[in-house]
Amino acid sequence: MTLSFFDQFMSPTYLGIPLMALALTLPWILYPTPSARWLNNRFLALQGWFINRFTQQLLLPLSLGGHKWAALLTSLMIFLITLNMLGLLPYTFTPTTQLSLNLGLAVPLWLATVLIGMRNQPTHALGHLLPEGTPGPLIPVLIIIETISLFIRPLALGVRLTANLTAGHLLIQLIATAAFVLLPLMPMVAILTSTVLVLLTLLEVAVAMIQAYVFVLLLSLYLQENV
């Protein structure tokens, strides 16, 4: 039983072919493409309003140089939210519970922000490694600490997203199993457990959206430091 709880995090295969690619292409299939008409349907209008509001909120702290990343960051936000939300449906697989996928998204984007900073303003980028007014004996230690903290950033991005989604899915499965086992033995306790399960599912919907937003927000803050 203990091992079966973690089976949901295994990458599904069909005839020996991994279905991770299919799960990653689902968000692009679900969203309709905007048309050239003046009046669109309600879903397209809501989709456009959400993208505009999020892009405005995201670009607020960024300088003009960071506005080039608007399309990439907005697309990444919608992509992560869709993957996280689809993973809450029964008999589905959540690709963002895989640390390899999250690191595959975090490391190249973080590295791009660092390279942009080193190319555009190398003195300012290297200045982050040593705070102003540092005493002389502490300079080597602080440089090592700041360098380690810089390289930990993509790891923290990937681990945060993976850990939050994995913990939520495990809690839902544990409580659902408890409610199923308690139903013939103690029906009232099973009803209370089911109520907790519904509330936890609503919480997981919020966590799925918040974690995608936090992932993109931290990337935008890293970008702001280097543009």
Side-chain angles (χ1 to χ4, degrees):
M1 179 62 72
T2 305
L3 291 177
S4 65
F5 285 148
F6 293 91
D7 287 347
Q8 60 178 320
F9 304 117
M10 296 175 60
S11 182
T13 57
Y14 181 72
L15 298 177
I17 302 172
L19 300 180
M20 174 73 84
L22 179 62
L24 293 178
T25 54
L26 269 178
W28 309 118
I29 299 172
L30 291 176
Y31 287 98
T33 54
S35 63
R37 297 177 179 177
W38 286 7
L39 293 177
N40 292 316
N41 57 38
R42 290 184 177 87
F43 185 76
L44 275 176
L46 182 63
Q47 176 183 316
W49 175 84
F50 171 77
I51 291 175
N52 288 334
R53 292 295 299 172
F54 172 73
T55 307
Q56 290 175 6
Q57 199 70 25
L58 186 67
L59 298 183
L60 205 58
L62 291 179
S63 60
L64 289 177
H67 289 188
K68 301 174 184 177
W69 286 56
L72 175 63
L73 294 178
T74 305
S75 301
L76 179 63
M77 169 75 175
I78 297 172
F79 182 67
L80 290 177
I81 283 182
T82 310
L83 286 180
N84 295 347
M85 298 290 285
L86 288 176
L88 294 174
L89 297 175
Y91 303 105
T92 56
F93 170 68
T94 313
T96 44
T97 56
Q98 305 294 313
L99 183 61
S100 57
L101 173 67
N102 295 334
L103 288 180
L105 292 173
V107 172
L109 294 172
W110 164 82
L111 186 60
T113 62
V114 174
L115 293 178
I116 286 175
M118 295 296 292
R119 185 191 66 180
N120 294 340
Q121 39 188 5
T123 305
H124 182 71
L126 294 175
H128 287 298
L129 301 179
L130 185 63
E132 189 176 355
T134 304
L138 294 179
I139 288 178
V141 179
L142 278 179
I143 290 178
I144 294 173
I145 292 174
E146 291 295 329
T147 304
I148 292 174
S149 68
L150 178 67
F151 283 98
I152 281 178
R153 283 179 173 182
L155 182 63
L157 277 177
V159 170
R160 181 186 296 109
L161 185 58
T162 304
N164 280 283
L165 295 178
T166 303
H169 283 65
L170 279 176
L171 273 176
I172 288 176
Q173 187 167 2
L174 284 170
I175 295 176
T177 305
F180 181 75
V181 171
L182 290 172
L183 186 59
L185 303 175
M186 293 178 284
M188 291 303 298
V189 178
I191 292 174
L192 291 176
T193 308
S194 302
T195 306
V196 174
L197 179 62
V198 172
L199 295 176
L200 181 62
T201 304
L202 295 176
L203 177 64
E204 279 305 304
V205 171
V207 168
M209 294 187 286
I210 291 170
Q211 288 304 316
Y213 176 72
V214 168
F215 189 93
V216 177
L217 179 64
L218 289 176
L219 274 178
S220 68
L221 293 178
Y222 299 157
L223 179 64
Q224 175 60 24
E225 291 182 359
N226 294 285
V227 294

